[in-house]
Amino acid sequence: MTAQLIDGDATSKTIQQEIQDQVEQLRADHGIVPGLATVLVGEDPASQFYVRSKQKRCAEVGIRSFGHKLDADATQEEVEGLVAELNANPEVHGILVQLPMPRHIDEESVLAKISLGKDVDGFHPVNIGRLAMKGREPMFVPCTPAGCIELLDRYGVEIGGKEAVVLGRSNIVGLPVAMLLLHRNATITICHSRTADLPATCRRADILIAAVGRPEMVKGSWIKPGAVVIDVGINRVDDPSAKRGYRLVGDVAFEEAREIAGYITPVPGGVGPMTIAMLLNNTLTSAKRAAGLI
Ligand code: GUN
């Protein structure tokens, strides 16, 4: 049987409309406009694209964005000075430092300087620490992992008591999504490059989250019949027949997998659009907190 598609484009549009309505309400009732500051260090084209997309989506829902760009040779002090300025600006409710930064910048130190209450990416070490602990609540949850869970919830997928396998252990996706699934009472396995038998481990999964950045690595035969497959990968592969000379594929061999899975996210149009929707939602939450509304 062919899997049901989990449509991230449609779901993120629904969420974006919900956010837009709340932003409008906040402005009308309290005169508050949520604000997101983006910090881009250097000229990385992918990062420039992501930051532009975030600013565009902010504008669509009525969130003000403050774009800050620093040269690739900016110093640690300059980056942290900018963060301090944004921490102090009451019009800024969320601060997003686009990663990766140039290699000479100490990323951990920069992220630790962001006010906990403005850490809409959820990458501050205290927020990650709280996410990793039982009974603690981070101020914000990282956006891509939150988007994965939101898709499961909105499609009515039960998480509690299920076997969840996470492929990848990155700070941005693999690790935090595993923590979120654990909080929701799934039994978790985290796989990585040293995992002995990846196909067999993946085949145990009721919920499989692929976040390794390897094009179409997960084959149909790795999937348990009826499993829910969330594909976080966005990989470019050469395709001379495509207008741009490449196409985007996920970490999962989609055509094979959809014949076996129960639910599956496509790439593009799956998790990708959910990431920004969650960022907008975190920024709205921060503005409501700053206004003492929640
Ligand atoms: N780089 C890749 N993903 C992300 C993200 O979610 N947030 C930030 N700040 N940088 C990223």
Side-chain angles (χ1 to χ4, degrees), residues 39 47 50-51 54 95-100 111 120-121 123 142-145 172-173 275-276 279:
V39 176
S47 291
Y50 288 131
V51 167
K54 289 167 186 176
I95 301 172
L96 180 137
V97 177
Q98 186 64 31
L99 304 178
L111 296 177
V120 287
D121 247 339
F123 293 157
C143 301
T144 304
I172 292 181
V173 186
T275 295
I276 303 187
L279 174 68

